[in-house]
Amino acid sequence: PVVADDGAIKGASTIARDITARKRAENARETLFEFTDRLFRTSSAEATYEAALDAIIRGLDCERASILLFDGDSVMRFVAWRGLSEDYRAAVEGHSPWTRDSRDPDPIAVSDIDAADIAAELKATIKGEGIRALAFLPLMAQGRVIGKFMAYHASPHEFSAAEIDVATTIARQLAFALERSRLQAERLRAEEAQQ
């Protein structure tokens, strides 16, 4: 309370603190914990993809997300997605800033597609899907790019360093889970071949 000289209350004083950063940090920790827990309990690629999409959308507070992996012909293909049309996926499939041989690729964040230095046709396709900002995160296994995940925003969005850190952690965990699954499948095939 604000008190006058005569002792009467003449107003009130308040203190407000912006706790946005703290709330985001708490959300990031909860998201990563839940994702790690789900990965530990998954037994299929589909369950891994679903856990990753949930983590991407929650951890980056975005509307849509996708996971793409290199196929046998070294073409980046969609394996899981949320909120993307078939036409969009067909139009952008195969586009990637990295090849399998890319070493130490950095995440790429496009805060406003209008300002991006990309081909006009690709830009029109992205904007036609209602995407205004996006981030590419490489999925790495054994020092090589095996794919990427993408996060999409419907309006321009400046990706913070904290968001990129969360996204990088999700990418590492996802790549590790996919590589673990691949190695287990190879081991099973080898055991079957021996038998």
Side-chain angles (χ1 to χ4, degrees), residues 123-142:
K123 187 182 288 192
T125 299
I126 294 168
K127 286 180 70 174
E129 188 73 4
I131 297 167
R132 291 295 307 273
L134 53 117
F136 302 75
L137 279 291
L139 300 175
M140 303 288 295
Q142 297 182 1

Side-chain angles (χ1 to χ4, degrees), residues 35 39 138-140 149 165 167-177:
F35 181 46
L39 286 180
L139 300 175
M140 303 288 295
F149 85 66
D165 287 346
T168 300
T169 302
I170 293 169
R172 286 180 183 144
Q173 289 180 325
L174 174 57
F176 178 79

Side-chain angles (χ1 to χ4, degrees), residues 27-191:
N27 179 58
R29 279 192 303 276
E30 290 169 7
T31 297
L32 294 173
F33 176 79
E34 182 180 309
F35 181 46
T36 302
D37 183 56
R38 285 178 69 185
L39 286 180
F40 180 73
R41 294 182 288 120
T42 62
S43 60
S44 70
E46 291 75 23
T48 299
Y49 298 150
E50 287 302 308
L53 290 172
D54 288 343
I56 294 163
I57 289 171
R58 180 177 173 195
L60 297 178
D61 194 27
C62 61
E63 298 87 14
R64 299 176 268 185
S66 64
I67 301 168
L68 296 89
L69 299 175
F70 281 117
D71 67 8
D73 297 322
S74 293
V75 176
M76 191 81 71
R77 304 256 185 224
F78 284 90
V79 295
W81 59 89
R82 296 251 179 90
L84 300 174
S85 70
E86 187 174 336
D87 290 341
Y88 173 80
R89 294 190 320 271
V92 302
E93 194 164 66
H95 289 276
S96 176
W98 311 293
T99 66
R100 281 185 190 263
D101 297 324
S102 297
R103 296 286 181 238
D104 299 319
D106 290 322
I108 298 171
V110 179
S111 59
D112 188 349
I113 198 69
D114 284 335
D117 184 23
I118 58 175
E121 185 177 319
L122 182 56
K123 187 182 288 192
T125 299
I126 294 168
K127 286 180 70 174
E129 188 73 4
I131 297 167
R132 291 295 307 273
L134 53 117
F136 302 75
L137 279 291
L139 300 175
M140 303 288 295
Q142 297 182 1
R144 300 180 69 125
V145 177
I146 62 169
K148 66 182 175 183
F149 85 66
M150 298 188 65
Y152 309 89
H153 286 272
S155 59
H157 177 80
E158 193 68 40
F159 291 89
S160 69
E163 287 175 311
I164 296 299
D165 287 346
V166 169
T168 300
T169 302
I170 293 169
R172 286 180 183 144
Q173 289 180 325
L174 174 57
F176 178 79
L178 294 173
E179 184 66 3
R180 183 186 68 205
S181 294
R182 185 188 70 77
L183 293 172
Q184 286 175 342
E186 281 184 6
R187 183 181 51 80
L188 290 174
R189 282 193 297 272
E191 288 172 1

